[in-house]
Amino acid sequence: MPAVVAKKVAKLREQAYESFTNRLLAQEIRPGQFISQRELVEITGMTLGAIRELVPRLEADGLIKTVPQRGMQVAHVDVNLVRNAFQFRLFMEREAAALYAVNASDDDLANLRARHESVLKRAKKGLSAALVAEAQAVDYALHDEVIGALGNEIISNAYRVNNIKIRLIRQEATRLASDLVEPVMREHLGIIAAFETRNPDKAANALAAHITSAKNRALGIIS
């Protein structure tokens, strides 16, 4: 295959993947839903050729599976998905937190603290949909920052796929609802305080406790 054609095919495949995951997270495609390639064409707006290129990647990432005599099924949220996704996250983020505590700049930590304290201060005065959405973004950003700081493309790509599954779980069971905004911001501030000690063990343990808490919330609802 000529290089120009190969590059074009790869670009279409990436666009199809992004379109699928965006619609999955927007709940236009539902966990557990059975779906055909032609339905994916209609939903994503991509060509049938691009969808055919996409399917093997979605299967490899565990976002869809082929069920004999029934077709393709989107990953559904169950106890196994929760346990597997959070275990993966725990292994990745625990080590990343230890390194982040040593390597993050003072400005990085100050920015993380300021964003969390701002959300927490405003949350005490009352919550709006906009503030809950901002709290969710701040929540995601801390974890993304810790992983991104590793500068490891292999880990970042694997983490990104797992993070799609975590967000599906949150949509089904543990999305940062209004009653969780303050507790989660406080948990995150505890993690940031551990980072500020520059002690890798304290940082790893603080982040591990937070992830375990999130997993238990999800299991408590789904089980």
Side-chain angles (χ1 to χ4, degrees):
M1 182 184 295
V4 174
V5 176
K7 186 175 180 179
K8 183 177 180 179
V9 169
K11 183 177 180 180
L12 284 173
R13 186 166 53 238
E14 189 62 35
Q15 288 174 342
Y17 187 89
E18 184 176 352
S19 180
F20 175 88
T21 54
N22 285 344
R23 282 158 176 77
L24 183 60
L25 295 174
Q27 299 182 305
E28 295 174 27
I29 301 171
R30 298 291 302 178
Q33 174 183 344
F34 281 90
I35 195 164
S36 69
Q37 290 187 4
R38 292 199 177 276
E39 286 172 323
L40 284 175
V41 168
E42 294 176 7
I43 292 170
T44 64
M46 303 302 296
T47 66
L48 183 57
I51 294 301
R52 285 173 176 161
E53 290 279 342
L54 169 68
V55 168
R57 180 177 175 186
L58 293 177
E59 290 181 316
D61 286 351
L63 295 176
I64 65 168
K65 65 178 180 179
T66 300
V67 180
Q69 300 181 348
R70 296 200 64 183
M72 297 186 302
Q73 184 181 27
V74 179
H76 62 285
V77 176
D78 59 14
V79 170
N80 284 336
L81 179 65
V82 173
R83 286 176 175 161
N84 292 342
F86 276 97
Q87 184 179 57
F88 178 93
R89 187 179 174 194
L90 181 62
F91 285 177
M92 287 291 184
E93 292 193 49
R94 185 182 178 93
E95 181 66 20
L99 294 172
Y100 190 80
V102 175
N103 297 324
S105 71
D106 290 342
D107 285 345
D108 290 335
L109 297 181
N111 288 335
L112 283 178
R113 175 171 287 282
R115 292 188 69 190
H116 284 79
E117 288 180 343
S118 174
V119 170
L120 185 57
K121 181 178 180 180
R122 285 176 285 148
K124 290 178 179 178
K125 297 178 181 178
L127 288 167
S128 63
L131 184 55
V132 172
E134 181 182 345
Q136 183 69 81
V138 169
D139 179 2
Y140 288 150
L142 181 143
H143 298 282
D144 291 345
E145 167 74 14
V146 170
I147 290 293
L150 294 172
N152 186 311
E153 187 176 347
I154 294 174
I155 291 176
S156 292
N157 287 338
Y159 182 82
R160 177 174 53 82
V161 173
N162 192 66
N163 204 31
I164 293 170
K165 297 169 186 175
I166 292 291
R167 294 188 186 198
L168 286 180
I169 292 166
R170 285 181 170 174
Q171 285 179 348
E172 294 295 303
T174 61
R175 190 169 181 81
L176 193 57
S178 57
D179 61 334
L180 290 176
V181 168
E182 291 189 44
V184 169
M185 290 299 104
R186 290 193 186 97
E187 284 184 21
H188 273 213
L189 284 167
I191 295 167
I192 294 166
F195 288 154
E196 290 167 341
T197 69
R198 301 298 185 174
N199 184 309
D201 289 335
K202 286 184 178 180
N205 290 338
L207 195 48
H210 172 61
I211 292 172
T212 299
S213 176
K215 180 193 73 174
N216 290 340
R217 282 196 298 270
L219 286 173
I221 293 172
I222 291 172
S223 298

